[in-house]
Amino acid sequence: MTVTEKTVSAAPSEPAAWAGRGLGWLRTQYPLLILLVLVVLAAVLSDAFLSTRNLENLVLQMSVIGIVALAQFIVVVSGGIDISVGSVLGLACVLSAGLFGGASTGLAVLVALGTGALLGAVNGFLVAFRGLEPFIVTLGMLALARGLVYAYTEGVPVRPADPAFTLVGTATVLGVPVLGVIWVAVALGMAFLLRRTVFGRRVYAVGSTPEAAHASGVPVRGTLLAVYVIAGLLVGLGGFLLASRVGAGTPTAGTLFELDAIAAVVIGGARLSGGQGRVFGAVVGTAIFGVITNLLVLLNVSTFLQDAFRGALILLAVALATIGRSPARRGR
């Protein structure tokens, strides 16, 4: 067979190769497929779903939890977990609205960011430098932060004095809520940080195998501390944005946000053992839960059944995440 004949005979295999790559990509993008199916289903089941007003509400509902999910995502990639994100967000929310009388929106942002960063640093120090389990550390922080929320508010919503406090949470840009724009900006920044910087590669290395990362010269403790501080900053930002959207710091702000954030990260394809996951997956996971919640509300489904639907979706996501893995990897 001549060289020309070999080239011609090999040509038909190229489309097959591209098709194989396409199928492989689809298998790794199952969260996106789930989201597309849900959007189509929601549009069919409810005429109000695609209305401008409902889509704006949907973006507003997803934005804050989306930012919290990104905070959870970087912690999970590093091999940890943070179940205190909801309570820390609640504390940042009420302090940003009430501290110093809520007379300045700029000061409120600093208070929220400082609160999140401080509590994140405490979590990071105990995990990185004291060797404590992230679950236990953040469980304690969950109780501490929520207790401080109730002690500060005494069960009563805190309303800021600055009339411009709600501007960020309610404004739109070309019909798109500012909260949504901030969420996308944070997601893009997180993606750049984790995929295009040395620090991001260190986070994945620490989450994959801390011992090997340490042997390679990666400052494991410093990296983990930075991860929890960054997560705290994002949670603090979410606390201010929630207060800005609602117009007050409520004692129940952030309740169960940790479950929603973990679920969004898991359904987005991240591995809870660390070292794997993409920011895009966390964003899609957040959107999936947002669409489901919105659709169930539009259909007047009981809140109890809403929790059941969300739980079933988490189980489905975990099951789908195992597709394509070898038995040896599934057994790890």
Side-chain angles (χ1 to χ4, degrees):
M1 183 180 292
T2 65
V3 176
T4 304
E5 291 173 338
K6 289 181 181 180
T7 304
V8 172
S9 63
S13 65
E14 290 298 323
W18 281 106
R21 294 171 187 170
L23 290 175
W25 182 84
L26 287 176
R27 279 197 296 269
T28 62
Q29 297 298 325
Y30 67 88
L32 183 59
L33 297 178
I34 293 175
L35 177 60
L36 293 176
V37 171
L38 285 174
V39 169
V40 173
L41 184 63
V44 172
L45 294 178
S46 174
D47 295 335
F49 178 76
L50 294 179
S51 66
T52 302
R53 182 175 180 180
N54 183 67
L55 291 178
E56 288 183 4
N57 289 333
L58 180 59
V59 172
L60 288 173
Q61 293 165 6
M62 293 191 302
S63 297
V64 174
I65 187 61
I67 292 174
V68 176
L70 292 172
Q72 188 70 251
F73 174 77
I74 190 174
V75 174
V76 168
V77 168
S78 72
I81 194 168
D82 189 349
I83 62 171
S84 69
V85 290
S87 297
V88 173
L89 180 141
L91 184 59
C93 179
V94 298
L95 290 181
S96 66
L99 207 60
F100 306 110
S104 170
T105 300
L107 185 59
V109 174
L110 294 178
V111 168
L113 293 177
T115 300
L118 175 62
L119 299 187
V122 173
N123 285 338
F125 173 79
L126 294 176
V127 170
F129 291 90
R130 305 305 300 172
L132 301 180
E133 288 294 327
F135 182 85
I136 300 301
V137 170
T138 56
L139 177 63
M141 184 59 72
L142 179 153
L144 172 62
R146 186 58 63 182
L148 291 175
V149 169
Y150 287 124
Y152 181 77
T153 62
E154 297 182 348
V156 180
V158 179
R159 300 190 180 278
D162 187 359
F165 192 87
T166 60
L167 182 61
V168 175
T170 58
T172 60
V173 177
L174 300 176
V176 179
V178 171
L179 289 185
V181 175
I182 295 174
W183 176 30
V184 172
V186 171
L188 291 175
M190 180 67 73
F192 178 83
L193 177 68
L194 291 179
R195 289 292 177 179
R196 301 296 181 184
T197 66
V198 173
F199 173 77
R201 290 191 287 272
R202 288 176 176 175
V203 173
Y204 278 96
V206 170
S208 181
T209 311
E211 296 80 7
H214 178 73
S216 301
V218 174
V220 175
R221 291 181 175 179
T223 300
L224 286 176
L225 177 61
V227 162
Y228 281 91
V229 171
I230 292 172
L233 284 170
L234 293 181
V235 171
L237 174 63
F240 165 74
L241 295 178
L242 182 60
S244 178
R245 178 192 166 200
V246 177
T250 59
T252 58
T255 302
L256 298 182
F257 270 30
E258 57 275 2
L259 299 183
D260 291 341
I262 293 172
V265 169
V266 169
I267 199 173
R271 187 172 58 192
L272 285 178
S273 57
Q276 178 178 303
R278 292 182 176 274
V279 170
F280 180 71
V283 172
V284 173
T286 303
I288 287 173
F289 279 94
V291 170
I292 288 179
T293 302
N294 182 259
L295 176 60
L296 294 178
V297 170
L298 292 176
L299 297 178
N300 294 319
V301 175
S302 165
T303 55
F304 303 108
L305 285 178
Q306 290 181 27
D307 291 337
F309 274 109
R310 292 161 69 189
L313 184 59
I314 294 173
L315 295 177
L316 175 62
V318 173
L320 290 174
T322 62
I323 296 176
R325 292 186 186 176
S326 64
R329 290 190 66 183
R330 286 198 294 267
R332 289 180 183 176

